[in-house]
């Protein structure tokens, strides 16, 4: 870090020297014009000071000095070390375009919260456990009851200390840089004052946009096996927000317990009133996908897996053996044909006892949910034929017609499935939730008729196409939480793994707007009960 700072400081000195040289040259020219006019007499040119030739450029330069100097100040001296319960932590303010709070808990990973929208971010690094304070908790377990209040006090003191330290840091940094660039104390003090005003405005923006409900949608990165235990259960978030908030706080406050069980984290215990659907898509012949899916099924206690197609790459009979691991998955498997899946692929999957192939709008009840789907109408594994939007539009119309027929028969469908989002969009207003894939990135949208469209990314990381771009495509899947009674979506977790050769894992919790605490369900959304 010292070497990097030296390089930065050297660059600042070069920029400052260039600015000072230009200012001195302009002053010399002004003095010359004042001393000797065009005809040899004294000129009456106004002095430069107080009326600069380029006020916009001068203002931009001053702003650059203020921002860069404040950033340097925060980087060098803008952090505080403070004890929080049994932990030693370091709190830091960082410039940021999106704001928020990031809690780094090594070795578990990091927890990101969209706590505020301002050009500053709060970083909290858990450095280590204090052995004396930790042993005191072990020897006197009754102290755990007051640990949360103690942590609140520690965090409050640390925040005040951080605010004071940050103010001093930005003023010192901007003033020092201003003095190096302008060589004028008045300009340097002005830069320091502007930096303090900028920090105060950022703090006011953070206070005005503070969102205590940001804990509802945390983003956890780190060990995939621990992520479900960390983010909690969807049903608890909706119905028991206060309890969930306290449990999430313990992620930071009671790290003693987390450290003790880093390698043997407790099993994920979903709420019994919540159904869990694992949505996968576009595996594209990636054998690693089956291990990932099996792990997710076990970790999340999945009720049913939905595959929205393109499981294969060319759909040839020689590829069929790739599908055999599906038989060993400990959950029923609902599947629709993608444009890389052939009729041969479909017939092979129909032989498996735990696989439910949906096509032509056919509906089946699987694990308590009513599904209906349609296979992709085009088979284009080698990209030799162009895909037609009108064909997929007609496929979607057929699926929507089948959904209406099911509702008229008194067996309304809870979840529709299609491979192409174009076909899925035609079901708007006919079903609460429709799943699709094909585009290799995750989307969630509530359409005009009230139907929620969920588009899954590639669970195979785009298969053989993973390295066509500059970076490998990520491996993506989602866990959808549905209420067992209403069959409505309660929440969903987006799971994102680093692509080929990468080991990064992220789990992001999301809630539908109507399931936020205090909100009422949308009256326009189609009901699964008709």
């Amino acid at each position: 870090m010292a070497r990097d700072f030296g390089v930065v400081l050297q660059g600042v000195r070069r920029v400052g020297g260039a600015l000072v040289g230009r200012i001195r040259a302009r002053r010399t020219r002004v003095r010359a014009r004042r001393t000797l006019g065009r005809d040899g007499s004294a000129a009456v040119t106004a002095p430069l000071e107080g009326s600069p030739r380029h006020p916009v450029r001068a203002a931009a330069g001053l702003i650059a000095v203020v921002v860069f100097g404040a950033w340097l100040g925060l980087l060098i001296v803008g952090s505080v070390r403070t004890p929080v319960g049994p932990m030693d932590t370091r709190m830091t303010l960082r410039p940021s375009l999106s704001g928020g709070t990031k809690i780094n808990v090594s070795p578990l990973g990091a927890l990101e919260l969209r706590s505020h929208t301002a050009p500053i971010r709060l970083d909290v690094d858990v450095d280590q456990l204090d052995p004396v304070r930790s042993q005191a908790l072990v020897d006197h377990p009754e102290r755990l009851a007051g640990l949360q209040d103690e942590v609140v006090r520690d965090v409050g003191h640390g925040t005040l200390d951080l605010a004071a330290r940050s103010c001093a840091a930005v003023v010192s940094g901007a003033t020092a840089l201003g003095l190096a660039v302008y060589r004028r104390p008045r300009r340097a003090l002005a830069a320091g004052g502007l930096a303090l005003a900028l920090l105060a405005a950022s703090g006011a923006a953070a206070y005005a946009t503070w969102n205590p409900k940001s804990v509802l949608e945390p983003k956890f990165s780190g060990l995939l096996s621990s992520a479900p235990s960390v983010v909690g259960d969807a049903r608890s978030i909706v119905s028991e927000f206060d309890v969930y908030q306290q449990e999430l706080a313990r992620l930071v406050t009671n790290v003693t317990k987390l450290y003790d069980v880093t390698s043997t984290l407790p099993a994920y215990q979903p709420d019994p009133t919540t159904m869990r659907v694992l949505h996968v898509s576009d595996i594209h012949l990636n054998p690693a996908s089956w291990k990932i899916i099996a792990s997710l099924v076990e970790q999340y206690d999945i009720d049913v897996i939905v595959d929205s197609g393109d499981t294969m790459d060319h759909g040839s009979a020689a590829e069929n053996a790739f599908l055999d691991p599906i038989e060993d998955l400990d959950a029923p498997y609902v599947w629709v044909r993608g444009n890389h899946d052939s009729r041969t692929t479909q017939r092979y999957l129909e032989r498996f006892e735990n696989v439910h192939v949906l096509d032509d709008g056919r509906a089946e009840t699987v694990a308590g949910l009513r599904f209906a789907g349609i296979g992709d109408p085009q088979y284009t594994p080698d990209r030799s034929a162009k895909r037609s939007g009108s064909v997929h539009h007609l496929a979607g119309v057929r699926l929507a017609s089948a959904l209406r027929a099911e509702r008229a028969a008194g067996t309304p469908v809870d979840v529709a499935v299609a491979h192409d989002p174009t076909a899925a969009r035609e079901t708007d207003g006919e079903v609460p939730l429709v799943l699709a894939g094909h585009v290799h990135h995750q989307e969630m949208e509530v359409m005009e008729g009230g139907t929620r469209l969920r588009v899954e990314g590639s669970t195979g990381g785009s298969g053989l196409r993973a390295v066509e771009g500059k970076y490998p495509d990520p491996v993506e899947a989602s866990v959808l939480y549905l209420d067992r009674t209403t069959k409505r979506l309660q929440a969903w977790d987006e799971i994102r793994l680093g692509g080929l050769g990468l080991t990064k894992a992220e789990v992001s919790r999301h809630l539908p707007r109507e399931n936020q605490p205090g909100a009422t369900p949308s009256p326009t959304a189609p009901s699964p009960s008709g």
Side-chain angles (χ1 to χ4, degrees):
M1 178 176 176
R3 181 180 178 183
D4 295 340
F5 176 69
V7 174
V8 172
L9 186 57
Q10 186 178 2
V12 171
R13 287 174 176 171
R14 287 200 297 267
V15 173
L19 289 175
V20 170
R22 295 182 61 182
I23 293 173
R24 288 177 176 174
R26 288 167 59 187
R27 287 180 176 176
T28 301
R29 290 195 297 270
V30 170
R31 290 195 186 100
R33 286 196 296 270
R34 293 183 60 189
T35 303
L36 184 63
R38 292 182 180 179
D39 56 356
S41 61
V44 291
T45 306
L48 176 65
E49 189 170 345
S51 56
R53 290 184 178 181
H54 303 288
V56 175
R57 186 181 299 175
L62 180 61
I63 292 174
V65 168
V66 169
V67 173
F68 192 56
W71 176 78
L72 282 177
L74 287 176
L75 185 65
I76 298 172
V77 296
S79 64
V80 297
R81 294 186 179 275
T82 182
V84 177
M87 304 173 297
D88 291 327
T89 68
R90 181 163 55 90
M91 297 183 179
T92 312
L93 287 181
R94 291 281 183 249
S96 171
L97 295 177
S98 57
T101 300
K102 184 175 183 180
I103 304 169
N104 298 303
V105 187
S106 177
L108 296 180
L111 184 70
E112 297 181 32
L113 303 175
R114 293 192 290 262
S115 57
H116 61 276
T117 303
I120 53 174
R121 184 186 74 195
L122 175 63
D123 287 355
V124 181
D125 296 320
V126 178
D127 292 336
Q128 62 181 1
L129 291 173
D130 182 270
V132 176
R133 299 197 301 271
S134 300
Q135 187 63 42
L137 288 176
V138 174
D139 296 337
H140 303 280
E142 67 276 5
R143 294 186 180 181
L144 288 172
L147 180 60
Q148 189 165 348
D149 293 336
E150 178 186 348
V151 167
V152 171
R153 290 193 300 270
D154 291 343
V155 171
H157 294 157
T159 303
L160 292 177
D161 191 10
L162 178 62
R165 178 73 65 90
S166 299
C167 290
V170 298
V171 171
S172 301
T175 301
L177 185 60
L179 193 60
V181 172
Y182 296 112
R183 303 292 178 87
R184 295 166 58 188
R186 185 176 299 177
R187 280 287 183 89
L189 292 175
L194 287 175
L196 181 59
L198 178 63
L199 180 62
S202 301
Y207 180 79
T209 59
W210 180 253
N211 178 23
K213 295 181 180 179
S214 61
V215 295
L216 286 170
E217 301 185 69
K219 182 178 181 180
F220 178 82
S221 58
L223 299 176
L224 178 62
S225 61
S226 68
S229 300
V230 172
V231 298
D233 177 70
R235 184 69 178 181
S236 298
I237 294 174
V238 176
S239 62
E240 298 177 309
F241 172 66
D242 292 338
V243 175
Y244 172 75
Q245 190 176 32
Q246 293 173 7
E247 291 296 325
L248 186 62
R250 290 177 187 172
L251 172 65
V252 184
T253 62
N254 198 5
V255 181
T256 306
K257 185 179 298 183
L258 289 175
Y259 269 75
D260 288 343
V261 295
T262 297
S263 59
T264 57
L265 284 167
Y268 182 52
Q269 298 295 333
D271 190 282
T273 62
T274 304
M275 305 181 71
R276 294 157 302 283
V277 177
L278 176 61
H279 185 198
V280 301
S281 189
D282 296 87
I283 292 174
H284 284 292
L285 218 64
N286 186 345
S289 299
W290 301 128
K291 294 183 179 179
I292 295 172
I293 292 173
S295 176
L296 293 173
V297 168
E298 179 181 2
Q299 186 67 32
Y300 283 84
D301 194 11
I302 294 297
D303 294 294
V304 58
I305 306 167
V306 178
D307 185 341
S308 48
D310 273 4
T311 312
M312 310 297 264
D313 214 24
H314 294 87
S316 64
E319 296 173 301
N320 285 343
F322 169 75
L323 302 170
D324 291 346
I326 294 178
E327 286 188 295
D328 299 325
L329 295 175
D330 193 20
Y333 201 92
V334 176
W335 184 86
V336 297
R337 188 179 65 253
N339 61 295
H340 283 256
D341 304 317
S342 65
R343 296 281 180 174
T344 300
T345 303
Q346 182 163 316
R347 287 192 293 270
Y348 189 83
L349 277 172
E350 287 173 343
R351 298 164 44 194
F352 295 170
E353 185 177 350
N354 65 325
V355 174
H356 303 263
V357 175
L358 303 180
D359 199 5
D360 298 322
R362 183 169 64 252
E364 286 190 43
T365 299
V366 183
L369 289 171
R370 187 77 171 162
F371 292 93
I374 191 166
D376 196 284
Q378 284 190 300
Y379 175 50
T380 57
D382 56 2
R383 304 180 182 178
S384 60
K386 292 184 178 180
R387 290 177 60 78
S388 171
S390 60
V391 172
H392 294 89
H393 167 75
L394 292 176
V397 170
R398 291 200 302 272
L399 179 57
S401 177
L403 295 174
R404 287 191 292 271
E406 289 289 331
R407 187 168 58 212
T411 55
V413 170
D414 303 311
V415 182
V417 190
H419 177 65
D420 196 300
T422 302
R425 290 182 183 279
E426 297 301 322
T427 66
D428 188 19
E430 306 297 340
V431 67
L433 177 65
V434 59
L435 307 180
H438 183 62
V439 296
H440 291 205
H441 62 264
Q442 296 175 325
E443 299 177 9
M444 182 70 88
E445 173 189 354
V446 178
M447 297 183 286
E448 292 183 0
T451 295
R452 184 178 293 273
L453 169 63
R454 173 63 185 176
V455 180
E456 191 52 73
S458 173
T459 311
S462 299
L464 297 177
R465 299 166 180 80
V467 294
E468 287 184 349
K470 184 177 180 181
Y471 300 104
D473 289 344
V475 174
E476 296 178 313
S478 298
V479 177
L480 312 177
Y481 301 88
L482 280 71
D483 186 275
R484 288 188 181 273
T485 302
T486 66
K487 312 298 171 62
R488 291 302 185 92
L489 184 69
Q490 296 292 306
W492 71 95
D493 287 344
E494 292 182 355
I495 300 165
R496 182 184 177 95
L497 308 179
L500 187 64
L502 304 178
T503 57
K504 183 179 180 181
E506 294 181 354
V507 177
S508 302
R509 165 60 50 80
H510 301 273
L511 290 176
R513 188 177 299 274
E514 62 270 18
N515 278 359
Q516 297 283 352
T520 55
S522 172
T524 61
S527 171
S529 60

